[in-house]
Amino acid sequence: MRQLNMSDAGRRRRIPVLIFLIAAILLAFVGLTLARYVMQKEESGVIETKPFYFTSDLLKDKSENKEYYIDPETKSFDINILNAVDSKRITKDKIICTITVEGGLASVHSGNEVTSDLEQRIEVVLEGNGEQASQRVTITPNPDADAVTVKAASSTPYQKTLSETFKPAPGNQYRVKDSVGSRAAVLTIIYVKTDSTDITLALPENVIPDETTSWVKKSAEASQSYTLHIPESGVYSLVLLKKDINQNLVKEETSFDTQISLTGVPPES
């Protein structure tokens, strides 16, 4: 009887220890499961970040480093701000962005109507609502601006900046390559307009153009006057033959409309 009582007492002492071990194992398992759950939630949060598309037809990310030239006679030009790349890649949330212009002013359009005053800084909202949306913005360059820089910076739902610099393209220009001792100079004409035109060329004494050039005709008005028929935009070269090799007709790039005069170039002594 005494041995049986001791065995029962031993079993009773082992039961709490066993319960403690089971509880410890359960807590460890629950903790591991909870940690895994939190990790999965954090990872799913990264995966579920909403796509953001903020684009433009002319404005680009600075990494693309593009440059545009505009007609110097243009009064204004349009850019479009969009919430999509294509029909499948669309920002579904509303995008709010700010357009800033250096060297000009901006205005927002709705249909064919101007809906805002000309400002250096305007706000553009693309509602989206799960569909493609765009906003046309008209840029009006300052008459004396050497360049126009346009920036579009979104603030909602994410921050992104698109920008571009637009430079007035040079108009018609000419230059002359020459040196003392050379028998001939070369007149290079850069004609940017699309329509054909006639340019009047005035040359100094003892200088004549290469008569084999088909688009050059002697003018009847003056002995040293010639008509250059330019059929379209492009770069044209004309050889000028000199009787006096001490004469230097060199000329840096110079703008012109319909007349080129080299008569003001004095002979070099």
Side-chain angles (χ1 to χ4, degrees), residues 25 27 29 45 50 55 77 85 108 125 138 168 175 203-204:
I25 292 171
L27 286 173
F29 180 79
K50 293 181 180 180
T55 62
F77 60 93
V85 176
V108 177
V125 178
T138 295
R175 62 177 180 268
L203 295 176

Side-chain angles (χ1 to χ4, degrees), residues 6-18:
M6 289 180 63
S7 179
D8 290 341
R11 278 197 295 270
R12 283 195 295 270
R13 283 196 300 270
R14 283 197 297 272
I15 289 173
V17 174
L18 195 59

Side-chain angles (χ1 to χ4, degrees), residues 53 82-95 126-134:
Y53 304 106
L82 306 96
N83 71 338
V85 176
D86 50 42
S87 60
K88 294 184 178 179
R89 291 176 288 178
I90 303 171
T91 299
K92 297 183 178 180
D93 295 334
K94 178 169 65 176
I95 296 177
L126 301 174
E127 291 292 347
N129 297 323
E131 299 179 353
Q132 286 181 277
S134 65

Side-chain angles (χ1 to χ4, degrees), residues 123-191:
E123 185 177 274
V124 168
V125 178
L126 301 174
E127 291 292 347
N129 297 323
E131 299 179 353
Q132 286 181 277
S134 65
Q135 178 62 64
R136 181 161 61 103
V137 179
T138 295
I139 307 299
T140 303
N142 293 338
D144 57 347
D146 294 329
V148 180
T149 299
V150 183
K151 293 182 180 180
S154 67
S155 56
T156 301
Y158 301 105
Q159 293 182 351
K160 182 179 179 180
T161 299
L162 305 172
S163 65
E164 197 54 75
T165 296
F166 303 85
K167 294 183 177 180
N172 298 333
Q173 293 191 331
Y174 74 90
R175 62 177 180 268
V176 181
K177 184 178 180 180
D178 192 17
S179 61
V180 174
S182 175
R183 283 290 181 187
V186 178
L187 168 65
T188 300
I189 299 171
I190 304 171
Y191 185 69

